[in-house]
Short mmCIF file of all heavy atoms in Angstrom, two decimals:
data_model
loop_
_atom_site.label_atom_id
_atom_site.label_comp_id
_atom_site.label_asym_id
_atom_site.label_seq_id
_atom_site.Cartn_x
_atom_site.Cartn_y
_atom_site.Cartn_z
N PHE A 65 -13.52 -0.92 -2.71
CA PHE A 65 -14.57 -1.69 -2.04
C PHE A 65 -15.75 -0.75 -1.86
O PHE A 65 -15.58 0.36 -1.33
CB PHE A 65 -14.11 -2.18 -0.66
CG PHE A 65 -13.01 -3.21 -0.67
CD1 PHE A 65 -12.34 -3.60 -1.81
CD2 PHE A 65 -12.63 -3.79 0.53
CE1 PHE A 65 -11.33 -4.55 -1.78
CE2 PHE A 65 -11.63 -4.75 0.58
CZ PHE A 65 -10.98 -5.13 -0.58
N ARG A 66 -16.94 -1.15 -2.27
CA ARG A 66 -18.14 -0.32 -2.15
C ARG A 66 -19.11 -0.97 -1.17
O ARG A 66 -19.42 -2.14 -1.28
CB ARG A 66 -18.81 -0.15 -3.50
CG ARG A 66 -20.11 0.66 -3.44
CD ARG A 66 -20.61 1.02 -4.81
NE ARG A 66 -19.73 2.07 -5.33
CZ ARG A 66 -19.63 2.37 -6.63
NH1 ARG A 66 -20.32 1.72 -7.53
NH2 ARG A 66 -18.82 3.33 -7.01
N THR A 67 -19.60 -0.18 -0.21
CA THR A 67 -20.58 -0.68 0.75
C THR A 67 -21.87 0.12 0.60
O THR A 67 -21.88 1.19 -0.02
CB THR A 67 -20.07 -0.55 2.20
OG1 THR A 67 -19.91 0.83 2.51
CG2 THR A 67 -18.75 -1.29 2.39
N ASP A 68 -22.95 -0.39 1.18
CA ASP A 68 -24.21 0.35 1.15
C ASP A 68 -24.66 0.64 2.58
O ASP A 68 -24.25 -0.04 3.52
CB ASP A 68 -25.28 -0.39 0.36
CG ASP A 68 -25.71 -1.69 1.01
OD1 ASP A 68 -26.29 -1.63 2.11
OD2 ASP A 68 -25.47 -2.75 0.42
N GLN A 69 -25.51 1.62 2.74
CA GLN A 69 -25.91 2.06 4.07
C GLN A 69 -26.81 1.06 4.77
O GLN A 69 -26.93 1.07 5.98
CB GLN A 69 -26.54 3.43 4.04
CG GLN A 69 -27.86 3.50 3.31
CD GLN A 69 -28.33 4.93 3.20
OE1 GLN A 69 -27.61 5.78 2.70
NE2 GLN A 69 -29.52 5.19 3.68
N HIS A 70 -27.42 0.16 4.05
CA HIS A 70 -28.33 -0.81 4.68
C HIS A 70 -27.59 -1.87 5.49
O HIS A 70 -28.13 -2.41 6.43
CB HIS A 70 -29.23 -1.47 3.63
CG HIS A 70 -30.04 -0.48 2.87
ND1 HIS A 70 -31.03 0.30 3.45
CD2 HIS A 70 -29.98 -0.09 1.58
CE1 HIS A 70 -31.56 1.10 2.55
NE2 HIS A 70 -30.94 0.89 1.40
N THR A 71 -26.36 -2.16 5.09
CA THR A 71 -25.59 -3.19 5.81
C THR A 71 -24.55 -2.59 6.75
O THR A 71 -23.89 -3.33 7.48
CB THR A 71 -24.88 -4.13 4.82
OG1 THR A 71 -24.02 -3.36 3.99
CG2 THR A 71 -25.89 -4.89 3.98
N HIS A 72 -24.40 -1.29 6.76
CA HIS A 72 -23.40 -0.64 7.59
C HIS A 72 -24.05 0.45 8.44
O HIS A 72 -24.03 1.62 8.09
CB HIS A 72 -22.27 -0.07 6.71
CG HIS A 72 -21.44 -1.15 6.10
ND1 HIS A 72 -20.25 -1.54 6.64
CD2 HIS A 72 -21.64 -1.94 5.03
CE1 HIS A 72 -19.74 -2.52 5.92
NE2 HIS A 72 -20.57 -2.78 4.94
N ARG A 73 -24.63 0.04 9.57
CA ARG A 73 -25.31 0.95 10.50
C ARG A 73 -24.84 0.70 11.92
O ARG A 73 -24.64 -0.43 12.32
CB ARG A 73 -26.81 0.75 10.45
CG ARG A 73 -27.45 1.28 9.19
CD ARG A 73 -28.94 1.23 9.32
NE ARG A 73 -29.39 0.20 8.38
CZ ARG A 73 -30.61 -0.26 8.32
NH1 ARG A 73 -31.51 0.14 9.16
NH2 ARG A 73 -30.94 -1.16 7.43
N ALA A 74 -24.69 1.79 12.69
CA ALA A 74 -24.27 1.68 14.09
C ALA A 74 -25.43 1.22 14.95
O ALA A 74 -26.58 1.48 14.61
CB ALA A 74 -23.76 3.04 14.58
N TYR A 76 -22.11 -1.25 15.43
CA TYR A 76 -21.56 -2.22 14.50
C TYR A 76 -21.17 -3.50 15.23
O TYR A 76 -20.18 -3.52 15.96
CB TYR A 76 -20.34 -1.63 13.78
CG TYR A 76 -20.67 -0.32 13.10
CD1 TYR A 76 -20.43 0.89 13.72
CD2 TYR A 76 -21.23 -0.32 11.83
CE1 TYR A 76 -20.75 2.09 13.10
CE2 TYR A 76 -21.55 0.88 11.19
CZ TYR A 76 -21.31 2.08 11.84
OH TYR A 76 -21.62 3.26 11.22
N ARG A 98 -16.45 7.48 5.13
CA ARG A 98 -15.75 7.23 6.39
C ARG A 98 -15.80 5.74 6.68
O ARG A 98 -16.73 5.06 6.28
CB ARG A 98 -16.40 7.98 7.56
CG ARG A 98 -16.42 9.49 7.36
CD ARG A 98 -16.87 10.25 8.58
NE ARG A 98 -18.12 9.78 9.13
CZ ARG A 98 -18.50 9.96 10.41
NH1 ARG A 98 -17.71 10.57 11.26
NH2 ARG A 98 -19.66 9.53 10.84
N LEU A 137 -13.84 -4.90 6.60
CA LEU A 137 -14.23 -3.50 6.39
C LEU A 137 -15.60 -3.16 6.97
O LEU A 137 -16.59 -3.87 6.70
CB LEU A 137 -14.23 -3.18 4.89
CG LEU A 137 -14.63 -1.76 4.52
CD1 LEU A 137 -13.64 -0.74 5.07
CD2 LEU A 137 -14.73 -1.63 3.01
N ILE A 138 -15.63 -2.09 7.74
CA ILE A 138 -16.87 -1.49 8.24
C ILE A 138 -16.85 -0.04 7.82
O ILE A 138 -15.90 0.69 8.13
CB ILE A 138 -16.98 -1.57 9.78
CG1 ILE A 138 -17.00 -3.02 10.27
CG2 ILE A 138 -18.24 -0.82 10.26
CD1 ILE A 138 -16.94 -3.15 11.79
N THR A 139 -17.88 0.40 7.12
CA THR A 139 -17.97 1.82 6.77
C THR A 139 -19.08 2.46 7.59
O THR A 139 -19.98 1.80 8.09
CB THR A 139 -18.25 2.01 5.26
OG1 THR A 139 -19.47 1.37 4.91
CG2 THR A 139 -17.11 1.47 4.42
N ILE A 140 -18.99 3.77 7.72
CA ILE A 140 -20.00 4.54 8.43
C ILE A 140 -20.97 5.03 7.36
O ILE A 140 -20.73 6.03 6.69
CB ILE A 140 -19.36 5.68 9.24
CG1 ILE A 140 -18.37 5.09 10.25
CG2 ILE A 140 -20.43 6.53 9.92
CD1 ILE A 140 -17.50 6.10 10.97
N GLY A 141 -22.03 4.27 7.14
CA GLY A 141 -22.93 4.52 6.02
C GLY A 141 -22.30 3.98 4.74
O GLY A 141 -21.30 3.27 4.76
N ALA A 142 -22.93 4.31 3.63
CA ALA A 142 -22.42 3.86 2.33
C ALA A 142 -21.12 4.57 2.01
O ALA A 142 -20.96 5.75 2.32
CB ALA A 142 -23.46 4.16 1.25
N ALA A 143 -20.18 3.85 1.41
CA ALA A 143 -18.89 4.48 1.08
C ALA A 143 -18.14 3.66 0.05
O ALA A 143 -18.35 2.45 -0.08
CB ALA A 143 -18.03 4.63 2.33
N ASP A 144 -17.28 4.34 -0.67
CA ASP A 144 -16.27 3.71 -1.52
C ASP A 144 -14.94 3.85 -0.80
O ASP A 144 -14.58 4.96 -0.35
CB ASP A 144 -16.18 4.38 -2.88
CG ASP A 144 -17.31 4.01 -3.82
OD1 ASP A 144 -18.10 3.10 -3.49
OD2 ASP A 144 -17.41 4.63 -4.89
N ILE A 145 -14.21 2.76 -0.69
CA ILE A 145 -12.93 2.74 0.00
C ILE A 145 -11.87 2.24 -0.97
O ILE A 145 -12.00 1.14 -1.53
CB ILE A 145 -12.97 1.82 1.25
CG1 ILE A 145 -14.16 2.16 2.15
CG2 ILE A 145 -11.64 1.87 2.00
CD1 ILE A 145 -14.13 3.52 2.79
#
Side-chain angles (χ1 to χ4, degrees):
F65 292 7
R66 177 169 287 161
T67 64
D68 66 66
Q69 66 186 54
H70 302 294
T71 59
H72 290 262
R73 287 188 249 171
Y76 305 95
R98 300 188 309 157
L137 180 63
I138 298 173
T139 59
I140 301 171
D144 283 351
I145 308 295

